[in-house]
Amino acid sequence: MNIKDIAKLSGVGIATVSRVINNTGVVSEATRAKVMEVVKEYNYIPNGNARNLKKTQSNTIALMVKGISNPFFANMIKEVERQVNLRGCPLLIQHVEDGVDEINTALQLVKEKNLYGVIFMGGTYDHSEEKFKQLSIPFVLTTITTTQDVDPSVFSSVVIDDVQESYKATSYLISLGHRKICFLARFPLVQHTTGNRRLLGYIKALEEHGIEYDPALVEDCEYSPSSGFTATKRLLNKKKEITAVFAASDTIAIGAAKALLSLGLSIPNDVSIIGFDGIEMAEYYHPSLDTISQPGVDMAKASVEILFDLISGQSANKHTVFESVLVKRGSCRKIK
Amino acid sequence: MNIKDIAKLSGVGIATVSRVINNTGVVSEATRAKVMEVVKEYNYIPNGNARNLKKTQSNTIALMVKGISNPFFANMIKEVERQVNLRGCPLLIQHVEDGVDEINTALQLVKEKNLYGVIFMGGTYDHSEEKFKQLSIPFVLTTITTTQDVDPSVFSSVVIDDVQESYKATSYLISLGHRKICFLARFPLVQHTTGNRRLLGYIKALEEHGIEYDPALVEDCEYSPSSGFTATKRLLNKKKEITAVFAASDTIAIGAAKALLSLGLSIPNDVSIIGFDGIEMAEYYHPSLDTISQPGVDMAKASVEILFDLISGQSANKHTVFESVLVKRGSCRKIK
DNA sequence: GTTATCATGGGAAACGTTTCCCATAGATTT
DNA sequence: AAATCTATGGGAAACGTTTCCCATGATAAC
């Protein structure tokens, strides 16, 4: 069942059927009704491949996610899909394996599927300007910013200020009297990752308050409870006196909390703890965990809006910085 | 840059370029090398739309997920993608909104994109045989079985036995001396959902042990901590004496645990609790939560294997039932 | 009554592949 | 030396659309 069949069955030309389906050009009401009836009756759905081939552009938006199992991304993905579908476009969700270059993957996809636009979610901050330019279609980096010498006019982004928010969390702990503050995050070899930027904020806060930065209080770990758990164990084995833990994600914070609690330590009486992201689980953990809560859904929505503005040519590349909120639930305590 | 350009640049015909790219037909080593050199140099990637149009079949596999934010699905999705990519196919992840018919969505997608195969993950058990037949390409239901009068030879599935596993959990609590056991799950209007089937197992266990089934101990709730939390609050307001909670997901169990803990109750001293799924968070909760752990990754792998067997015509429709494991972590206690 | 204008709809090319079928040339057989 | 076979590679049709351009008939203008 293709457009030719529909044309024959409706007694019109294929061009007319196409015009009816796409609501383009002028077609008399009578003709339109006649065609639509046949379309409905035979449940005709145009072949997307032929369509995209001819138009040398599909209306598909791709979402490249690095870390699809990250619970913080879950609601963002749903919102991106909702917003994209609202605009009548299908969303192709592409998971990018850790260690795989998401821009290269996208480059491939763009050529192969004639994408309409791309949203990148998660991943590193390290991309060259040249790469961005190769990607000749509109795209938005969400949750990713870049500190390389990249001309800001060649890409769009929706981010939070990792340095600033991390500074906020650390300062909060310091204001409560903490001096021995651990920091848990992921530090891959690449520069300019979320972890590295949050480390900068952590160090900045320490320095501003005259606290010496002790690398032994910083542990490298994946963004997962299990990794947070083992990292915290490693930390405790160093026999440092610790009064607070700042985890670069709530998942890490949960693992860290478990490590402390299972040793019989109390949160926040013995150790204060604060996470990052604002996932639901942090609230329902016992004790509920303080966190730097990111407006994930708003960020997702903004990403799609910016992408479609770019597509329609209505605006140039844009960089939006969202503010996160320090949510206090009692897992941090004033000491001394 | 298309196949014609490559042909011209290599000094061969387009048919030859196609043969080289697809490794079909016979091409002399010299010609192949010449063409490949040009392909590499210009970084040529064939247009997927043209390809799929001509072949009247793409190699794309679609994964229809209902509940993409379900943490239990996270690892399964990753495994499905890994397995599909391993077989040289791209995976299209399609999120299906709650309440939307996933088969209809797939039907649309199949016609539009000439899919190669479909995997359904999550959702209800209610599908008619006719619908299955309309979907004229190979597909596998994962995490979904059907109790309708559907001929088992028209579909494939990878599931656990919900009734049996639920029976297992409930029996475990009973064996520990519990009589007042709450059950939390989602009961939508549609029949034959995961929740309904697990309820059957729960009731079966009670009856077999001569315990009267009390509907007041069963609460309807979404598969999320917040919903588990409020459902448990509702339960406690009924002033029933409760000694154990069986939650149909670990996310619900976490919400339930939070409700109990925040009232100062102890787990497992005052109330025992057991969840379902086996997500990482249940282990890192404090206390660690007992659960019926599903082999999600194995199930994902099996789904892809079955799908590709169907595609290659190597085998007929098949139904695989996986066994779940009762994981004891101490959140359930023997009483009396 | 003739010409200009307009609304509508059809024909055909083009998008970039794959693949069938045939042509060519060199090698092998008779 | 002629005939046959084999290996290789090219031409062209086809996949199912969209869209440009043109044809047709009706209406309006003169």
Side-chain angles (χ1 to χ4, degrees):
Chain A
M1 184 59 47
N2 57 28
I3 200 171
K4 219 182 257 175
D5 299 325
I6 299 294
K8 204 168 294 173
L9 288 163
S10 331
V12 301
I14 56 170
T16 305
V17 176
S18 177
R19 277 187 287 256
V20 169
I21 291 169
N22 298 291
N23 260 310
T24 55
V26 244
V27 182
S28 71
E29 204 35 66
T31 312
R32 169 179 306 280
K34 196 169 53 181
V35 172
M36 280 313 288
E37 194 184 332
V38 178
V39 165
K40 280 271 186 299
E41 184 182 346
Y42 291 88
N43 194 22
Y44 166 66
I45 296 172
N47 181 303
N49 290 126
R51 230 176 184 171
N52 298 337
L53 171 61
K54 180 57 190 132
K55 300 207 291 190
T56 59
Q57 181 180 79
S58 80
N59 61 342
T60 305
I61 304 290
L63 174 65
M64 320 285 302
V65 222
K66 207 153 193 170
I68 202 167
S69 53
N70 184 338
F72 172 62
F73 286 158
N75 287 323
M76 293 185 73
I77 294 174
K78 271 165 81 170
E79 180 68 11
V80 166
E81 176 158 60
R82 212 175 69 84
Q83 292 292 336
V84 168
N85 289 346
L86 232 53
R87 290 167 173 82
C89 299
L91 180 74
L92 172 77
I93 303 174
Q94 173 75 45
H95 171 238
V96 184
E97 206 67 50
D98 213 44
V100 174
D101 186 315
E102 53 268 48
I103 305 249
N104 278 344
T105 313
L107 226 48
Q108 181 101 8
L109 222 53
V110 166
K111 286 209 189 181
E112 221 178 277
K113 308 245 187 212
N114 296 116
L115 295 179
Y116 207 42
V118 186
I119 294 178
F120 294 91
M121 187 177 284
T124 71
Y125 290 63
D126 246 323
H127 298 291
S128 69
E129 189 164 330
E130 192 207 356
K131 272 274 184 57
F132 283 155
K133 283 181 177 161
Q134 273 180 47
L135 203 65
S136 47
I137 63 162
F139 67 96
V140 178
L141 306 185
T142 304
T143 289
I144 311 172
T145 186
T146 177
T147 51
Q148 278 212 349
D149 300 333
V150 175
D151 182 352
S153 73
V154 305
F155 71 104
S156 285
S157 66
V158 173
V159 294
I160 55 161
D161 185 338
D162 282 301
V163 179
Q164 178 57 28
E165 302 299 348
S166 171
Y167 172 86
K168 197 191 278 179
T170 313
S171 300
Y172 173 57
L173 290 171
I174 294 172
S175 75
L176 293 178
H178 294 278
R179 291 294 175 272
K180 301 290 185 187
I181 302 169
C182 301
F183 180 60
L184 303 175
R186 176 118 192 278
F187 308 109
L189 292 176
V190 227
Q191 286 295 302
H192 313 311
T193 62
T194 305
N196 287 320
R197 290 175 60 82
R198 294 187 186 164
L199 178 62
L200 290 180
Y202 164 79
I203 296 176
K204 185 178 160 213
L206 293 180
E207 285 178 348
E208 276 194 13
H209 294 85
I211 302 169
E212 198 189 349
Y213 164 54
D214 179 0
L217 292 180
V218 175
E219 276 288 335
D220 186 4
C221 76
E222 308 275 320
Y223 294 108
S224 73
S226 60
S227 189
F229 183 83
T230 54
T232 306
K233 290 276 190 191
R234 283 201 304 274
L235 216 45
L236 294 171
N237 282 339
K238 293 182 187 163
K239 299 283 175 210
K240 293 265 180 182
E241 335 140 34
I242 293 166
T243 67
V245 174
F246 170 32
S249 83
D250 288 334
T251 48
I252 295 177
I254 286 170
K258 181 67 178 176
L260 298 168
L261 293 169
S262 61
L263 288 174
L265 293 170
S266 159
I267 297 171
N269 291 330
D270 297 318
V271 180
S272 288
I273 189 161
I274 184 169
F276 208 114
D277 284 349
I279 64 173
E280 201 184 9
M281 290 290 179
E283 184 180 350
Y284 288 93
Y285 203 77
H286 194 74
S288 295
L289 301 177
D290 291 7
T291 193
I292 298 286
S293 175
Q294 301 189 53
V297 172
D298 294 342
M299 291 169 75
K301 189 168 174 227
S303 304
V304 177
E305 278 165 2
I306 293 177
L307 184 66
F308 277 83
D309 282 354
L310 287 171
I311 288 172
S312 69
Q314 270 178 35
S315 68
N317 276 309
K318 194 155 109 182
H319 300 272
T320 311
V321 180
F322 276 79
E323 187 114 0
S324 299
V325 187
L326 171 55
V327 178
K328 301 178 189 176
R329 302 188 176 116
S331 71
C332 294
R333 169 177 160 265
K334 196 167 188 94
I335 61 171
K336 269 196 220 101
Chain B
M1 182 60 48
N2 57 27
I3 200 171
K4 219 182 257 176
D5 299 325
I6 299 294
K8 204 169 293 171
L9 288 164
S10 332
V12 301
I14 55 170
T16 305
V17 175
S18 177
R19 278 186 286 256
V20 169
I21 291 168
N22 298 290
N23 259 310
T24 56
V26 245
V27 182
S28 72
E29 204 35 66
T31 312
R32 168 178 308 279
K34 195 169 52 184
V35 172
M36 281 312 290
E37 195 183 333
V38 178
V39 166
K40 280 271 185 301
E41 184 182 349
Y42 291 89
N43 195 22
Y44 166 67
I45 296 173
N47 180 303
N49 289 126
R51 231 176 183 171
N52 298 337
L53 172 61
K54 181 58 190 132
K55 299 207 290 189
T56 59
Q57 182 180 79
S58 79
N59 61 343
T60 305
I61 304 291
L63 174 65
M64 320 284 301
V65 230
K66 207 154 193 171
I68 202 166
S69 53
N70 183 338
F72 173 61
F73 287 158
N75 287 323
M76 292 185 74
I77 294 174
K78 272 166 79 170
E79 179 68 11
V80 165
E81 176 156 62
R82 213 176 68 85
Q83 292 292 336
V84 168
N85 289 346
L86 230 53
R87 290 167 171 82
C89 299
L91 181 74
L92 172 76
I93 303 173
Q94 173 74 45
H95 172 237
V96 184
E97 206 68 49
D98 214 42
V100 174
D101 186 316
E102 54 268 47
I103 306 250
N104 278 344
T105 313
L107 227 45
Q108 180 102 7
L109 221 55
V110 166
K111 285 211 191 181
E112 219 178 278
K113 308 245 184 209
N114 296 116
L115 295 179
Y116 207 42
V118 186
I119 293 178
F120 294 91
M121 188 177 283
T124 70
Y125 289 64
D126 248 324
H127 298 293
S128 68
E129 189 163 327
E130 193 208 354
K131 272 275 186 58
F132 282 157
K133 283 181 177 162
Q134 273 180 46
L135 203 65
S136 49
I137 62 162
F139 68 96
V140 178
L141 306 184
T142 305
T143 289
I144 311 172
T145 186
T146 178
T147 51
Q148 279 211 344
D149 299 333
V150 175
D151 181 353
S153 72
V154 306
F155 72 103
S156 285
S157 66
V158 173
V159 294
I160 56 161
D161 183 338
D162 282 302
V163 178
Q164 178 56 30
E165 302 299 349
S166 173
Y167 173 85
K168 197 192 276 181
T170 312
S171 301
Y172 173 58
L173 289 171
I174 294 171
S175 76
L176 292 177
H178 294 279
R179 292 295 175 269
K180 302 290 184 187
I181 303 169
C182 300
F183 180 59
L184 304 175
R186 175 115 194 277
F187 308 109
L189 292 177
V190 227
Q191 285 295 303
H192 312 310
T193 62
T194 306
N196 287 320
R197 291 173 61 81
R198 291 185 188 166
L199 178 62
L200 290 181
Y202 164 79
I203 294 176
K204 186 179 160 209
L206 293 180
E207 285 178 347
E208 277 194 13
H209 293 85
I211 302 169
E212 200 189 347
Y213 165 52
D214 180 0
L217 292 180
V218 175
E219 277 287 335
D220 186 4
C221 75
E222 307 275 319
Y223 294 108
S224 73
S226 59
S227 189
F229 183 83
T230 53
T232 306
K233 289 276 191 192
R234 283 201 304 275
L235 217 45
L236 294 170
N237 283 338
K238 294 183 188 164
K239 298 284 175 207
K240 294 265 179 182
E241 336 140 32
I242 292 166
T243 67
V245 174
F246 170 31
S249 83
D250 288 334
T251 48
I252 295 177
I254 285 171
K258 182 67 178 177
L260 298 168
L261 293 168
S262 61
L263 287 175
L265 293 170
S266 158
I267 298 171
N269 291 331
D270 297 316
V271 180
S272 289
I273 190 161
I274 183 167
F276 207 114
D277 284 349
I279 66 172
E280 202 184 9
M281 289 291 180
E283 184 180 350
Y284 289 94
Y285 203 76
H286 194 73
S288 294
L289 302 176
D290 291 8
T291 193
I292 299 286
S293 175
Q294 301 189 53
V297 171
D298 294 342
M299 291 169 75
K301 191 170 173 224
S303 304
V304 177
E305 278 164 3
I306 292 176
L307 184 66
F308 276 84
D309 281 353
L310 287 171
I311 289 172
S312 68
Q314 269 178 35
S315 67
N317 277 308
K318 194 155 108 182
H319 300 272
T320 311
V321 180
F322 275 79
E323 187 113 2
S324 298
V325 188
L326 170 55
V327 179
K328 301 178 189 176
R329 300 187 177 119
S331 70
C332 294
R333 169 177 161 267
K334 200 171 187 85
I335 60 170
K336 275 206 208 91

